[in-house]
Amino acid sequence: MTHSPLSRLSMRRARDGKGSAFRERDAVLETGSPRIGRGSGRGSGSGQKEGSSLGPGFVLAPWVILVAAFAGGCSRTAGATAAVEIGRLGATLGKFQHPRAIAVNPKSGRVYVADRSGRIQLFEAGGAPVLEWRMPEWEKGQPVGLAVEDDGSLLVNDSHYNRILRYSPDGSRILASWGAEGKGPGQFTFGRDVVVDSEGCVYAGDYGGLNDRIQKFTRRGEFLLEWGRCGDGPGEFHRPQGMAIERRGSAEHLLVADCANHRVQRFTREGAWVSSFGKIGSGPGEMRYPNGIAIGLDGAIYVSEWGNNRVQRFDPDGRSEGVWGVPGRAPGELSTPWEIAAGPDGTLYVADYGNHRVQAFRWAGGTIALRR
């Protein structure tokens, strides 16, 4: 594992005061003019849409869109669920250019988002932008996987540069880096998602050149094991995309959104295949290019489907419990969604890639308040 190999990093904070340049041990940070984006009123820079007031300091989005398709084949419009837009097209703090990777700090509820401009942005749980920084390199491609570790550090699967980066929570330092281009242990072809289990072990997806697999590392980046190959059998993958750690009592499993096989696979932390669910299609329990996966507070499994422009909810046994979203541009509608993440309060965040925004919602009857 190589520590701090990268020399330059651009970062802007949403704070008062003039920008400055200063050197850290691991990176040179250039802070430009502050990007202040709190609140949802015009001119805030946050890109949030203003809704009806709930009292001092809060705004509730007025959009109510929830389409539920149940396993029995019938569909109906369910109870009110708020959908809040965070961001819009742009290259400044609080705006996005095709967001695709997303992760939530399970303690603070803060949200990290990576987009195709090579930036990572940090938002408050309610959607107010806090700060941003740019990847050291991004011309060849941008990251597609983010994960927050127990101490708040941020892991980034830097896909096109064949490495895992660990950042300090505010992005000011690169704490560690490991990986190289190749097909051997600890190497990557095109990295996908990254997740962390309760013991701090890191799981990273990889695909390309018939090298579709999952690799497991220690927290220090030391290679432990790998499993998988290109195929459609149990334990095989066609582009292992999103991942999530599932906890059932004392047991933990790794769930993998097997994107081009249109299914979700479940594994032990040692890589043994346990089960799978899903097949290609648009009906209940079917999927079309699942890109992201998240576990809710109640153990429900949420899958964002790139090809069906929706989020589908499953029970822990893989039975469909409904879908959220339809194709489109309006609030509550989706365009080729990528990752999905669950917050500690039950809020779900979807990287609405084609609409250049993140949408936040609660599954049933929830409301989301944005603090000014």
Side-chain angles (χ1 to χ4, degrees):
M1 178 176 67
T2 303
H3 289 272
S4 310
L6 306 170
S7 62
R8 198 164 188 85
L9 168 65
S10 176
M11 173 180 173
R12 288 190 292 274
R13 289 178 178 270
R15 59 178 173 82
D16 295 324
K18 296 182 179 180
S20 61
F22 59 96
R23 179 174 295 275
E24 294 281 11
R25 179 178 64 87
D26 297 300
V28 176
L29 298 129
E30 296 178 347
T31 33
S33 300
R35 305 286 186 176
I36 301 174
R38 293 188 177 275
S40 58
R42 292 180 181 178
S44 68
S46 71
Q48 299 161 2
K49 309 297 185 181
E50 188 168 9
S52 58
S53 175
L54 287 179
F58 293 92
V59 169
L60 173 64
W63 314 295
V64 180
I65 300 178
L66 176 61
V67 179
F70 295 95
C74 59
S75 64
R76 65 180 175 89
T77 300
T81 294
V84 172
E85 291 179 288
I86 301 171
R88 61 181 185 270
L89 178 61
T92 57
L93 182 63
K95 299 178 182 179
F96 302 110
Q97 296 179 15
H98 295 296
R100 53 185 186 177
I102 191 164
V104 180
N105 185 311
K107 297 177 181 177
S108 69
R110 284 182 157 188
V111 183
Y112 292 91
V113 183
D115 71 2
R116 295 203 68 181
S117 70
R119 294 178 303 149
I120 296 175
Q121 299 187 65
L122 175 62
F123 295 82
E124 298 289 359
V130 178
L131 58 85
E132 66 176 353
W133 71 90
R134 196 175 293 276
M135 297 292 293
E137 301 170 274
W138 66 91
E139 293 84 357
K140 292 195 302 183
Q142 302 78 37
V144 296
L146 301 175
V148 179
E149 296 182 288
D150 188 62
D151 65 356
S153 300
L154 182 70
L155 292 177
V156 181
N157 195 330
D158 196 6
S159 175
H160 290 71
Y161 292 90
N162 316 108
R163 62 192 173 192
I164 304 294
L165 300 178
R166 174 179 287 121
Y167 281 98
S168 60
D170 63 357
S172 63
R173 290 181 297 152
I174 296 172
L175 305 175
S177 173
W178 68 87
E181 184 175 3
K183 298 181 180 181
Q187 299 177 330
F188 297 96
T189 305
F190 287 106
R192 297 290 90 188
D193 204 1
V194 59
V195 294
V196 183
D197 69 17
S198 63
E199 296 180 352
C201 292
V202 178
Y203 303 79
D206 189 25
Y207 94 102
L210 304 180
N211 202 42
D212 297 36
R213 59 180 175 166
I214 306 297
Q215 298 191 73
K216 181 177 179 178
F217 302 89
T218 68
R219 190 181 186 281
R220 297 177 57 188
E222 299 159 328
F223 175 83
L224 291 175
L225 59 91
E226 64 176 358
W227 71 89
R229 62 181 181 181
C230 188
D232 57 11
E236 299 177 339
F237 306 102
H238 274 301
R239 187 180 288 207
Q241 192 67 40
M243 298 191 296
I245 295 293
E246 177 189 50
R247 297 177 175 88
R248 293 195 194 184
S250 60
E252 290 187 15
H253 294 98
L254 178 70
L255 298 184
V256 181
D258 189 5
C259 182
N261 280 326
H262 315 285
R263 65 184 178 184
V264 170
Q265 296 198 67
R266 177 181 281 115
F267 299 90
T268 69
R269 292 188 295 171
E270 289 70 44
W273 183 86
V274 176
S275 61
S276 66
F277 58 90
K279 62 180 181 178
I280 188 169
S282 301
E286 298 174 340
M287 307 177 197
R288 194 173 297 275
Y289 299 105
N291 259 352
I293 187 167
I295 310 298
L297 297 177
D298 59 355
I301 301 166
Y302 297 91
V303 178
S304 52
E305 300 177 48
W306 184 92
N308 281 329
N309 294 296
R310 68 186 187 184
V311 173
Q312 188 166 186
R313 172 179 161 133
F314 296 87
D315 71 12
D317 294 319
R319 292 184 290 262
S320 179
E321 295 185 330
V323 299
W324 182 91
V326 294
R329 305 290 183 186
E333 299 176 349
L334 297 167
S335 176
T336 58
W338 273 64
E339 287 283 0
I340 184 170
D345 64 349
T347 302
L348 297 166
Y349 300 87
V350 183
D352 192 2
Y353 178 86
N355 287 325
H356 309 284
R357 65 188 176 187
V358 169
Q359 294 201 64
F361 67 98
R362 303 275 178 86
W363 189 257
T367 59
I368 301 173
L370 301 184
R371 187 176 298 276
R372 292 184 184 273

